[in-house]
Amino acid sequence: MLAYLIRRLINAVLTLLVVSLVTFGIFFMVPKITGSDPALLYIGKTSDAASIEGIRVKMGLNDPVLVQYGKFLKGLVAGRDYVSGPEVTHCDAPCLGYSFKTEQEVTPLLMSVLPVTLSLALGAAILWLIIGVSTGVISALRRGSLLDRTVMSAALFGVSMPIYFTGLIASAIFVYQLGWLPQGQYVPFLESPSEWFTQLLLPWITLAFLFAATYARLTRANMLETLGEDYIRTARAKGLPERVVIGKHALRSGLTAIVTVFGLDLGALLGGAVLTEKVFNLRGLGYQALQAIQGNDLPVILGVTMIAAGFIVIANLVVDLVYGLIDPRVRLA
Amino acid sequence: MSSVTPRPFLEVKDLTVRFETDDGIVQAVTESNFSLEAGKTLGIVGESGSGKSVTSLALLGLHRTRSNAKVSGQIWLDDQELVTASDQDVRALRGGKMSMIFQDPLSAMHPYYTVGAQIVEAYRVHNPKVSKKAARERAIDMLARVGIPQPSRRFNDYAHQFSGGMRQRAMIAMALVNDPKLLIADEPTTALDVTVQAQILDLIRDLQQEFHSAVIMITHDLGVVAELADDVLVMYGGKIIERGAAVDLFQRPQHPYTWGLLGSMPRLDREVRDRLTPVKGSPPSLINLPSGCAFHPRCPYAGRNGDRSFTDTPVLTGGAHAVACHLPAEERAKIFKEEVAPNL
Amino acid sequence: MSENLLEVTGLQKHFPITKGLFKRQVGAVRAVDGIDLNVVAGETLGVVGESGCGKSTAGRLFTRILEPTGGKIVFEGEDITHKSVTQMRPLRRDVQMIFQDPYSSLNPRHTIGTIISAPLQIQKIPTPQGLKKAVQELLELVGLNPEHYNRYPHEFSGGQRQRIGIARALALRPKLIIADEPVSALDVSIQAQVVNLLEDLQSEFDLTYVFIAHDLSVVRHISDRVAVMYLGKVMEIAHRDDLYKNPRHPYTVALMSAVPVPDPVRRDSAQRGRVLLTGDVPSPINPPSGCRFRTRCWKAQDICATEEPPLVQRLDDPDSHLTACHFPVVDDEAVAGRAPAATPA
Ligand SMILES: Nc1ncnc2c1ncn2[C@@H]1O[C@H](COP(=O)(O)OP(=O)(O)OP(=O)(O)O)[C@@H](O)[C@H]1O
Ligand SMILES: Nc1ncnc2c1ncn2[C@@H]1O[C@H](COP(=O)(O)OP(=O)(O)OP(=O)(O)O)[C@@H](O)[C@H]1O
Ligand code: SF4
Ligand code: SF4
Ligand SMILES: [Mg+2]
Ligand SMILES: [Mg+2]
């Protein structure tokens, strides 16, 4: 198990390194292709040549690519100093540079919006996991029944509805028509837990609806497969009550595949639920990413990408570990 | 039959199992009749898809969880009727009074639970008052009984850490943990090598003597049947086509299909034959069974006695050695002696 | 006439086992670990042994689907041990393989016609009567309806699929066919049909077979000579009747005595005479020193652990009967488990 763990960890670090390399490559190449000068983007077109050159030096834009990448990595791990003449600006680790637009440090900027995305993603995840898995299991057990067919049709509907559609419809009904839920802004949990909750409820439900549909279908398929396994027949032949056969023997293996998908979905969402954030006007990572893309704000794009990649890699790692815990064949291989 | 004769330990009457599928109704088992006394072994042979497993699952009531299965007829186990019994009652018998060993012990054991835990679980469902510790001791004891070395250590292993033979031993330990009166073994050695098969058959034989249980041994290997069974059923297309004492059935087989089975089989205990004499053609579809005798498309004697074979379904008749074939017994005996036996 | 079609000496195949972060090689599965044998033109050589003893690996080496780790393979006097894929191509015509699983060895998306004609097209064999006609002739040869040319594998039963596999192997009119458990997955009556078909084809086309199986009765029926394998080595090889009547190697004796006798009258004597091997087959990663069978052999002595017995003629056997055992089983030895083979019923 230890070797397995270490191998996974090294894998994770390597993946992050590759991601950083690729994103940095893009960061470096995009201005070349579009013909825009990062220094210009940063300081604005009206500046004189001397101050542009100053920026160049300060940002290290004149250095060879590898040196730039090295500095970027160092910034991530140990922080970095931007020197322009006598003036030294220190950027703490993990340093993702400065926004072209606002000249803010990227790391604190993203950290400030992270709670929004975290709240959104985690809340929705809990919701869709409970709803999706339980309906999936029930559908599998009542295969072919009216309930099964209804739930599965609903799930198909859910899977095929784009989030901006369901999101807008839901807001229109619950916020504007019925007035059951407030319209407005994200409220930090620590400020007011109840407002945090009511503000997020609709985004949660909308997002969870989409995922719950997928999970219900996936759970149903997995459960049906597991229920056909020989060891389920053995469990029944032992005289175990059906509740133990399903709840213990079938569920444990039926849900392992869900763990993988769930880890990856959650990891991906934590990097920013772009559409949902946009629809509900939540200023999280996804929203930031959108802003940055529209404004050609490369350091922010790079930052969001790194954070998103980090979440996915971590999620992957956790999934692998959980898998090892659930399945002794993986652990003892 | 007068009501004075006591019922045999296991008596199956007109057992019929149908599955509704998208392609039509699968006539998996049709009007099966047989019985078995305690301490005896019944062998069920037949080719793939002939209804052997479906029969055994019906005895354990395992078709109840399938919504597309329809079971009719009667199953009397120790004077209790099982087809109409409640789910609760049947469940109490499963793994207790009657238990089952399956063909592929790797897939029949749960990959995520230790072998020991699965045996303990089987024990405790039927003995809920027993402490965990006592159940564990019982499980280790059973592992030792079936010949697993270092049982208290192997208790904590998973099925994939066992060899094929060990797994089957563990499966047997699990099936015997509650001293069943009826043990059903569905191809328990098909997945194993011959040397391991010999060990397992030996084990089953010993344990049967020790526990004095009735055993149903399902297999497609006539050799295995001959080794273990007192009585034999031969199944074809979901029906029993020949039923009798093992000695009679092997020495004077009466059904043309049984002849075909024997003729297909090269044997180590005889001189090498020039040619095998197999049944021609392939097994029937259970959705569209051939009319009359289901074996007629493959039977070399189908036309011998008028065209009854094509129109009427023969019934299993004949007391101790029963056969389902329209040919008169004397004619069959003659054919066997003159045409079949010399080629075996 | 005893012209060797295939000659194998010291043949080895070790599959590396890697471990740890850097996939360091920590050992090897010695799947085939030094076998010597020859296949005479026109004969059927049976290869028997328990699961994992290296039968399939050996078959794959003979056809050079696998690259040997050591030893030498000579086909028709030509050393093919390390020929490359392109160098092997002309030889592919002469050596064909039939596989165990009639389900996975046929591509489900191709019609029978495509499957059987593929080797003809790859090898660019001219078919004067036309490709379709050639395939239909092959179908007829293996007892299938030629009109099924355009059907897909899933429309056929297991036995029929095995016939399709045989037709494909026959398409190139090979000299040698390696059949890896060709009937193991089939029901007994279908199995007998396929065995009869293989025998008919052999006499019609002068085929040479290597017939790999774990069923001793089927191997006895079809083979001229039989090799018994255990843990990657040949333990005994002999003409069929010599082997089944006078098994010399304790493993052969145990193997034969384990086969259930389909005769309830003889059941007690068969059971009394049975050698029940104890324990499991050791791992091919660390085979026992000396004789590989010694951990389960009832005749083992000290020398068996130190000296590996060579595969040579023993006692008064004919020189075609080779046994790798220091203490071969003697004819009148009161061994439990002497197979009741010889006596006719
Ligand atoms: N749940 C089911 N639904 C539909 N058909 C079924 C079901 N279970 C079994 N059958 C069909 O019933 C027939 C008899 O199957 P059964 O498993 O009893 O065969 P068997 O004699 O045990 O064969 P084998 O030697 O292959 O195990 C087969 O045609 C099978 O396809
Ligand atoms: N590609 C491979 N990589 C590693 N090990 C292998 C590989 N192929 C086979 N082996 C191992 O080599 C040994 C011999 O395998 P092989 O398939 O030749 O046995 P076999 O005699 O054909 O057995 P069976 O009767 O089960 O088919 C086994 O221990 C197997 O696990
Ligand atoms: S009834 Fe007719 S077809 Fe059926 S087995 Fe007897 S002779 Fe053959
Ligand atoms: S060499 Fe020794 S251990 Fe090996 S088979 Fe012969 S007697 Fe047994
Ligand atoms: Mg079966
Ligand atoms: Mg093999």
Side-chain angles (χ1 to χ4, degrees):
Chain A
M1 187 72 188
L2 194 66
Y4 173 76
L5 212 148
I6 294 177
R7 202 156 53 228
R8 295 287 125 182
L9 265 173
I10 293 188
N11 241 331
V13 172
L14 284 180
T15 317
L16 276 180
L17 217 61
V18 170
V19 171
S20 74
L21 193 63
V22 171
T23 31
F24 185 82
I26 293 170
F27 173 70
F28 187 81
M29 290 309 294
V30 167
K32 297 251 140 70
I33 295 165
T34 55
S36 55
D37 183 340
L40 267 185
L41 281 173
Y42 186 64
I43 198 166
K45 289 204 167 62
T46 50
S47 311
D48 56 286
S51 39
I52 291 179
E53 187 53 32
I55 289 293
R56 284 236 171 83
V57 173
K58 183 178 174 186
M59 309 282 287
L61 292 174
N62 289 336
D63 296 335
V65 198
L66 279 182
V67 175
Q68 285 194 41
Y69 179 60
K71 282 186 179 166
F72 170 73
L73 274 191
K74 176 174 171 277
L76 271 182
V77 183
R80 97 189 244 198
D81 293 325
Y82 291 95
V83 188
S84 117
E87 199 184 319
V88 176
T89 325
H90 182 73
C91 170
D92 283 331
C95 173
L96 289 164
Y98 288 85
S99 159
F100 287 166
K101 291 282 139 186
T102 61
E103 297 185 29
Q104 273 179 291
E105 265 187 63
V106 172
T107 310
L109 172 74
L110 295 183
M111 284 305 142
S112 70
V113 300
L114 188 60
V116 181
T117 301
L118 274 181
S119 307
L120 173 65
L122 288 176
I126 293 171
L127 211 57
W128 90 57
L129 205 58
I130 294 173
I131 299 172
V133 169
S134 53
T135 46
V137 169
I138 293 169
S139 267
L141 294 180
R142 304 249 178 288
R143 176 192 198 172
S145 67
L146 189 65
L147 181 78
D148 176 27
R149 276 175 287 161
T150 318
V151 168
M152 282 305 120
S153 314
L156 189 64
F157 176 76
V159 173
S160 44
M161 284 298 110
I163 198 116
Y164 44 86
F165 182 72
T166 39
L168 289 178
I169 298 266
S171 321
I173 297 176
F174 293 105
V175 180
Y176 299 105
Q177 207 63 49
L178 299 173
W180 289 355
L181 292 167
Q183 89 187 87
Q185 285 295 316
Y186 172 76
V187 179
F189 180 77
L190 291 177
E191 236 165 68
S192 160
S194 66
E195 272 191 63
W196 171 82
F197 184 82
T198 44
Q199 287 290 354
L200 279 169
L201 196 55
L202 206 52
W204 280 342
I205 293 177
T206 317
L207 192 54
F209 182 56
L210 175 75
F211 280 93
T214 317
Y215 277 61
R217 292 164 64 83
L218 192 69
T219 307
R220 179 178 181 272
N222 270 309
M223 278 302 281
L224 283 179
E225 196 186 317
T226 309
L227 287 173
E229 293 282 355
D230 285 356
Y231 54 78
I232 297 301
R233 191 185 54 189
T234 309
R236 291 199 172 113
K238 288 202 276 198
L240 295 179
E242 204 55 20
R243 116 191 96 76
V244 179
V245 173
I246 307 293
K248 185 174 166 192
H249 289 246
L251 218 49
R252 183 154 172 205
S253 13
L255 293 188
T256 35
I258 308 284
V259 170
T260 319
V261 183
F262 178 69
L264 296 182
D265 280 348
L266 185 61
L269 264 192
L270 286 173
V274 180
L275 282 178
T276 318
E277 288 179 18
K278 176 88 186 147
V279 168
F280 293 101
N281 196 25
L282 291 167
R283 316 218 153 178
L285 279 177
Y287 184 84
Q288 279 300 335
L290 218 57
Q291 295 275 310
I293 290 169
Q294 278 161 2
N296 240 341
D297 198 347
L298 285 172
V300 176
I301 299 177
L302 183 61
V304 177
T305 313
M306 284 304 294
I307 291 183
F311 276 126
I312 291 182
V313 167
I314 292 170
N316 234 324
L317 190 69
V318 173
V319 163
D320 281 344
L321 295 183
V322 171
Y323 230 101
L325 287 180
I326 301 181
D327 190 342
R329 288 170 300 184
V330 175
R331 188 180 347 134
L332 301 169
Chain B
M1 212 173 281
S2 77
S3 56
V4 196
T5 27
R7 230 179 243 293
F9 174 66
L10 171 72
E11 185 170 31
V12 173
K13 281 185 166 174
D14 295 329
L15 179 67
T16 300
V17 184
R18 299 273 178 270
F19 297 104
E20 275 167 39
T21 67
D22 293 341
D23 301 326
I25 295 177
V26 179
Q27 310 176 44
V29 173
T30 305
E31 292 174 12
S32 232
N33 286 287
F34 60 91
S35 61
L36 177 61
E37 291 295 353
K40 295 283 185 196
T41 301
L42 173 73
I44 304 185
V45 281
E47 289 182 90
S48 189
S50 57
K52 307 183 296 290
S53 298
V54 170
T55 304
S56 64
L57 296 177
L59 296 183
L60 254 70
L62 285 175
H63 296 307
R64 286 164 182 253
T65 51
R66 293 194 179 277
S67 53
N68 70 336
K70 235 183 87 208
V71 180
S72 61
Q74 299 170 20
I75 299 169
W76 291 89
L77 181 79
D78 220 2
D79 277 326
Q80 187 180 359
E81 208 290 309
L82 303 186
V83 174
T84 51
S86 70
D87 284 355
Q88 195 65 22
D89 289 349
V90 175
R91 194 167 57 68
L93 294 172
R94 273 186 216 143
K97 198 179 230 171
M98 54 183 180
S99 66
M100 188 148 176
I101 312 171
F102 295 99
Q103 169 171 350
D104 182 356
L106 182 59
S107 62
M109 293 230 186
H110 202 296
Y112 298 169
Y113 296 101
T114 63
V115 168
Q118 295 183 57
I119 300 178
V120 164
E121 186 183 40
Y123 188 52
R124 293 191 76 208
V125 235
H126 296 281
N127 302 280
K129 292 201 195 75
V130 172
S131 73
K132 280 204 166 121
K133 192 160 161 289
R136 188 191 150 90
E137 272 159 25
R138 167 85 183 168
I140 292 175
D141 181 46
M142 284 311 296
L143 287 174
R145 289 263 272 288
V146 298
I148 290 183
Q150 297 180 283
S152 48
R153 201 173 61 76
R154 300 313 298 253
F155 179 93
N156 294 314
D157 280 353
Y158 294 91
H160 76 272
Q161 295 171 294
F162 276 40
S163 71
M166 297 277 241
R167 266 179 224 140
Q168 198 55 288
R169 284 173 193 269
M171 190 84 212
I172 294 174
M174 186 156 89
L176 293 183
V177 75
N178 292 312
D179 293 331
K181 295 283 165 283
L182 172 65
L183 176 67
I184 303 172
D186 189 354
E187 315 238 11
T189 58
T190 306
L192 305 175
D193 278 317
V194 275
T195 56
V196 184
Q197 164 170 293
Q199 295 169 6
I200 297 292
L201 294 182
D202 204 52
L203 177 69
I204 293 178
R205 205 167 12 230
D206 284 354
L207 292 171
Q208 176 180 23
Q209 265 161 25
E210 195 179 323
F211 292 88
H212 198 71
S213 44
V215 172
I216 295 182
M217 171 65 69
I218 294 172
T219 170
H220 59 261
D221 185 338
L222 287 166
V224 171
V225 171
E227 288 263 330
L228 284 182
D230 300 296
D231 295 305
V232 181
L233 306 179
V234 184
M235 293 192 68
Y236 185 83
K239 298 196 181 92
I240 299 175
I241 51 100
E242 185 161 3
R243 184 186 70 203
V247 177
D248 288 340
L249 199 121
F250 278 89
Q251 298 214 314
R252 287 172 295 280
Q254 298 205 9
H255 195 281
Y257 175 65
T258 315
W259 300 340
L261 278 186
L262 288 166
S264 303
M265 197 180 50
R267 304 173 57 150
L268 280 191
D269 59 337
R270 304 266 168 93
E271 285 299 327
V272 180
R273 286 182 277 158
D274 267 356
R275 248 183 122 62
L276 301 173
T277 45
V279 197
K280 64 181 190 203
S282 43
S285 145
L286 292 177
I287 293 176
N288 291 308
L289 272 177
S291 63
C293 172
F295 187 55
H296 85 248
R298 306 174 75 189
C299 180
Y301 315 103
R304 285 240 181 150
N305 203 30
D307 51 9
R308 283 183 68 197
S309 299
F310 310 106
T311 51
D312 299 354
T313 308
V315 193
L316 189 71
T317 42
H321 191 163
V323 190
C325 173
H326 290 308
L327 286 182
E330 316 78 61
E331 189 172 348
R332 265 186 279 122
K334 186 160 168 275
I335 297 177
F336 177 69
K337 191 154 162 265
E338 290 170 7
E339 298 175 35
V340 180
N343 289 323
L344 291 185
Chain C
M1 77 135 221
S2 63
E3 179 200 335
N4 280 343
L5 194 61
L6 184 74
E7 271 174 37
V8 166
T9 35
L11 191 62
Q12 286 183 328
K13 179 70 196 180
H14 294 180
F15 295 104
I17 307 168
T18 55
K19 215 180 164 180
L21 297 176
F22 305 104
K23 301 279 170 215
R24 206 159 30 91
Q25 183 176 344
V26 292
V29 180
R30 301 158 149 231
V32 167
D33 204 16
I35 58 178
D36 305 305
L37 49 82
N38 62 315
V39 184
V40 180
E43 76 167 349
T44 299
L45 174 72
V47 178
V48 281
E50 290 175 283
S51 181
C53 71
K55 304 181 297 292
S56 299
T57 307
R60 280 157 208 265
L61 288 171
F62 298 164
T63 48
R64 278 299 324 281
I65 294 174
L66 283 178
E67 172 101 20
T69 313
K72 194 169 159 193
I73 310 172
V74 176
F75 181 76
E76 287 197 304
E78 195 180 342
D79 186 339
I80 61 164
T81 320
H82 295 294
K83 286 210 157 163
S84 68
V85 177
T86 28
Q87 288 171 320
M88 275 305 289
R89 189 156 298 144
L91 277 160
R92 290 263 169 259
R93 284 187 69 165
D94 293 334
V95 188
Q96 285 291 314
M97 206 153 175
I98 303 174
F99 298 95
Q100 164 170 7
D101 189 349
Y103 294 86
S104 64
S105 56
L106 303 176
N107 186 334
R109 275 184 283 280
H110 289 170
T111 64
I112 301 314
T114 318
I115 289 173
I116 298 176
S117 60
L120 291 170
Q121 286 177 315
I122 292 168
Q123 293 278 352
K124 303 197 177 61
I125 309 288
T127 43
Q129 73 277 52
L131 197 59
K132 183 170 177 188
K133 194 89 198 7
V135 170
Q136 290 185 327
E137 282 169 16
L138 282 163
L139 284 174
E140 211 157 356
L141 201 60
V142 296
L144 290 173
N145 188 340
E147 277 152 29
H148 291 169
Y149 182 86
N150 277 322
R151 297 213 180 163
Y152 289 87
H154 73 262
E155 298 175 56
F156 294 88
S157 69
Q160 288 172 320
R161 285 184 224 209
Q162 204 52 292
R163 287 173 194 265
I164 296 166
I166 294 173
R168 173 175 60 182
L170 278 180
L172 298 173
R173 293 288 134 85
K175 293 177 180 149
L176 176 64
I177 291 186
I178 314 276
D180 188 0
E181 314 245 13
V183 297
S184 305
L186 306 176
D187 266 320
V188 55
S189 70
I190 311 298
Q191 178 173 320
Q193 292 170 0
V194 173
V195 165
N196 282 351
L197 172 68
L198 286 172
E199 288 186 328
D200 292 345
L201 294 171
Q202 179 167 43
S203 47
E204 189 169 341
F205 299 108
D206 283 331
L207 294 170
T208 307
Y209 290 143
V210 172
F211 189 95
I212 299 172
H214 61 260
D215 184 329
L216 278 94
S217 335
V218 174
V219 166
R220 171 168 172 257
H221 179 86
I222 201 168
S223 308
D224 299 299
R225 283 191 310 136
V226 177
V228 180
M229 283 185 70
Y230 185 79
L231 266 185
K233 287 216 144 211
V234 174
M235 295 284 116
E236 185 166 7
I237 181 167
H239 279 292
R240 171 192 53 201
D241 294 337
D242 293 332
L243 187 89
Y244 281 81
K245 286 181 181 149
N246 292 319
R248 291 291 183 218
H249 198 284
Y251 178 61
T252 315
V253 172
L255 206 53
M256 283 192 203
S257 80
V259 177
V261 183
D263 184 352
V265 181
R266 289 247 273 278
R267 110 174 24 151
D268 291 337
S269 64
Q271 279 161 22
R272 245 180 288 118
R274 180 156 293 155
V275 186
L276 277 187
L277 292 180
T278 49
D280 286 322
V281 182
S283 150
I285 300 166
N286 266 321
S289 65
C291 171
R292 291 176 182 223
F293 185 55
R294 73 175 160 82
T295 51
R296 305 169 79 198
C297 178
W298 70 96
K299 295 187 69 163
Q301 301 193 18
D302 290 349
I303 185 183
C304 304
T306 53
E307 249 176 71
E308 178 155 10
L311 183 67
V312 293
Q313 181 217 345
R314 309 264 174 182
L315 308 172
D316 53 355
D317 286 336
D319 56 9
S320 59
H321 188 163
L322 312 179
T323 311
C325 172
H326 294 302
F327 309 103
V329 178
V330 197
D331 287 348
D332 52 3
E333 193 174 336
V335 191
R338 163 54 46 84
T343 45

